Amino acid sequence: MKNIIIFRNILWLIIILFLSVVIITGMSLTLIYRDNRRNVKAMLDDTLQLEKSMLIGLSRFHDLDEQRLIEHLKSYHSRRHSIWKSGEFVIAKKQGDKIVFLYHEGKNPLPEADRMIHDRQLALPMRLALEKKSGFVVGNDYRNHQVFAGYTYIAPLRLGLVAKVDTREIIAPFYHTARLSLLVAILCIIIGSWLFLKITGPLVRDLTRSENRFRTLFDSSPESIIITNRSGDIIEVNQSGLQQLAYSNGDIIGRPLDRLITPGQPVPEHTGKVVNFQTEFHTRAGTAIPVEINSSPVDFDHEHMAIHIARDISERLQAEADIRAMNAVLERRVAERTRQLQVANQELESFAYSVSHDLRAPLRGIDGWSLALEEDY
């Protein structure tokens, strides 16, 4: 049972460590992702402002038509490389209900204008730009891919500009980092758990053996042993105590010791000293059992406790009562014998007095005749 509890605690420790690593990794990646997204947003904004300024400048100072304007853009962008594989810069205009894509810097083919008419879920950033709005949005582009895009509208040219990057490309490094972090975390937890078990295994086994020895001695003691906390509530009872009091372990734990003994006894929670006293245990059935208790205060992990060792003295008290009864009977017999001896002595004294009085005259006669015979012979 103890091994199961230890294994369960170790399993909980591993789970807590794993969850902690997941939470910390997730929070760290979230913060890094937000910071990276701000950087992407700033980059898209810079791209939009640069392209917008360049288009307005070319249109205003060089008086270029739409076709020559696009050719200048292609010439300029051919010498520039994006840091994003999926990064695109798109220019479009609106003709009635159609979106006509004029130019894009990217590897994807331009869509057919008719396709935009029937599927209004596509090209969301460009639709917002052609609605004369500016900002940033996460939505589907003309390929039906989710993108993070910045969009703006060039009023003098009536053109919509969109700079976008696939969200998948933005998130991919973080997914890769998360997978790698979790893999490293799992590996570290496995190695750490193995080292932990390797180092603490002998200590745990020693502690388990020590606890088993203590528990064996504790439960095999013929005396009732009760451990109480500072407030006098029972926190541990051995098997002898449970049998003597007729309580189960669940029923007696937490019960005040004062309720099981005769009130008014000097228990060490109040005196702080080792005390020995006689009292009575009151069992669950209400039976009173005379006991002699040795109570000793102890400190365990800075917690004040008391150990009470109770010995059933019913037989001893009965033996003492029998001895007192036998002594009383013996004393009565001695007194009776003494009285009889006194009577016998008195009768003997009377007999001796009578004999000495009755023999006095014959002895005087014998003494006289003895003197006469001595004088004549």
Side-chain angles (χ1 to χ4, degrees):
M1 185 64 183
K2 293 293 183 181
N3 294 332
I4 295 176
I5 295 175
I6 293 172
F7 176 77
R8 185 179 61 188
N9 293 336
I10 293 174
L11 182 61
W12 274 113
L13 177 62
I14 294 173
I15 292 173
I16 291 172
L17 288 174
F18 179 75
L19 291 178
S20 300
V21 170
V22 170
I23 292 172
I24 293 173
T25 303
M27 293 177 63
S28 301
L29 291 177
T30 301
L31 294 175
I32 296 173
Y33 173 74
R34 289 180 178 177
D35 185 64
N36 185 64
R37 183 166 172 169
R38 283 194 296 268
N39 294 334
V40 174
K41 184 177 180 181
M43 183 198 70
L44 294 177
D45 186 55
D46 291 342
T47 301
L48 286 175
Q49 296 304 321
L50 176 63
E51 300 292 344
K52 182 177 180 180
S53 300
M54 186 171 61
L55 286 171
I56 293 175
L58 290 173
S59 174
R60 181 177 300 174
F61 297 107
H62 295 280
D63 193 20
L64 301 176
D65 58 12
E66 187 177 277
Q67 183 177 358
R68 294 180 64 187
L69 188 65
I70 298 301
E71 291 177 356
H72 274 76
L73 282 178
K74 289 181 179 179
S75 176
Y76 169 73
H77 288 151
S78 64
R79 299 187 300 270
R80 191 168 68 104
H81 301 282
S82 174
I83 62 173
W84 299 95
K85 293 180 180 180
S86 62
E88 281 190 326
F89 174 72
V90 184
I91 301 174
K93 67 179 181 179
K94 192 172 184 180
Q95 291 181 353
D97 291 335
K98 297 180 180 180
I99 297 176
V100 179
F101 287 87
L102 303 175
Y103 170 78
H104 86 116
E105 178 199 14
K107 299 179 181 179
N108 301 306
L110 284 172
E112 295 294 336
D114 293 339
R115 186 182 174 193
M116 301 298 106
I117 298 174
H118 303 290
D119 193 349
R120 296 189 177 275
Q121 299 298 322
L122 302 180
L124 176 62
M126 184 57 73
R127 291 181 184 277
L128 294 174
L130 293 175
E131 292 175 1
K132 302 180 181 181
K133 298 178 181 179
S134 298
F136 297 88
V137 69
V138 175
N140 293 340
D141 65 355
Y142 58 83
R143 300 167 298 155
N144 200 23
H145 292 178
Q146 190 180 68
V147 295
F148 178 54
Y151 57 90
T152 188
Y153 181 71
I154 306 176
L157 302 177
R158 298 180 181 180
L159 297 177
L161 275 69
V162 172
K164 61 188 178 68
V165 179
D166 286 1
T167 55
R168 182 172 55 185
E169 185 178 357
I170 298 175
I171 299 174
F174 297 95
Y175 282 152
H176 177 72
T177 304
R179 288 193 295 268
L180 183 61
S181 299
L182 290 178
L183 181 61
V184 172
I186 293 172
L187 185 62
C188 290
I189 290 174
I190 292 174
I191 295 175
S193 301
W194 181 79
L195 291 175
F196 176 80
L197 294 175
K198 191 73 174 178
I199 295 172
T200 62
L203 297 177
V204 172
R205 286 192 294 271
D206 291 342
L207 289 175
T208 302
R209 283 195 295 267
S210 177
E211 184 178 356
N212 290 336
R213 285 195 295 268
F214 166 77
R215 175 58 61 181
T216 301
L217 293 173
F218 184 72
D219 286 334
S220 62
S221 173
E223 315 286 346
S224 298
I225 302 177
I226 301 174
I227 302 176
T228 58
N229 57 19
R230 186 179 182 86
S231 59
D233 297 331
I234 297 173
I235 59 176
E236 195 70 47
V237 183
N238 68 344
Q239 291 299 320
S240 297
L242 295 175
Q243 294 174 2
Q244 188 177 50
L245 294 168
Y247 278 96
S248 65
N249 194 66
D251 293 334
I252 201 171
I253 297 299
R255 184 182 294 268
L257 179 61
D258 293 344
R259 296 185 181 180
L260 300 178
I261 64 175
T262 303
Q265 299 295 343
V267 292
E269 290 85 359
H270 306 120
T271 62
K273 300 177 180 179
V274 178
V275 293
N276 291 278
F277 59 94
Q278 290 186 9
T279 184
E280 290 182 341
F281 269 158
H282 300 284
T283 66
R284 190 170 191 173
T287 306
I289 301 176
V291 292
E292 182 179 64
I293 299 179
N294 176 276
S295 296
S296 304
V298 295
D299 289 332
F300 182 75
D301 284 345
H302 307 290
E303 184 178 357
H304 298 289
M305 299 181 183
I307 298 178
H308 311 274
I309 302 176
R311 182 181 296 107
D312 187 352
I313 58 174
S314 300
E315 295 181 358
R316 192 184 77 183
L317 292 180
Q318 184 62 45
E320 291 177 353
D322 293 341
I323 291 173
R324 287 194 296 271
M326 292 176 61
N327 288 338
V329 172
L330 183 60
E331 288 177 356
R332 288 196 300 271
R333 289 181 178 178
V334 169
E336 180 66 22
R337 297 296 184 186
T338 302
R339 187 183 62 79
Q340 292 176 358
L341 183 59
Q342 290 176 349
V343 171
N345 289 336
Q346 290 177 358
E347 291 178 354
L348 183 59
E349 289 177 357
S350 299
F351 176 74
Y353 177 78
S354 299
V355 170
S356 62
H357 183 272
D358 293 340
L359 293 177
R360 187 177 300 167
L363 289 175
R364 282 200 298 270
I366 293 172
D367 183 59
W369 285 103
S370 298
L371 292 173
L373 289 173
E374 185 179 1
E375 289 176 358
D376 291 337
Y377 298 102

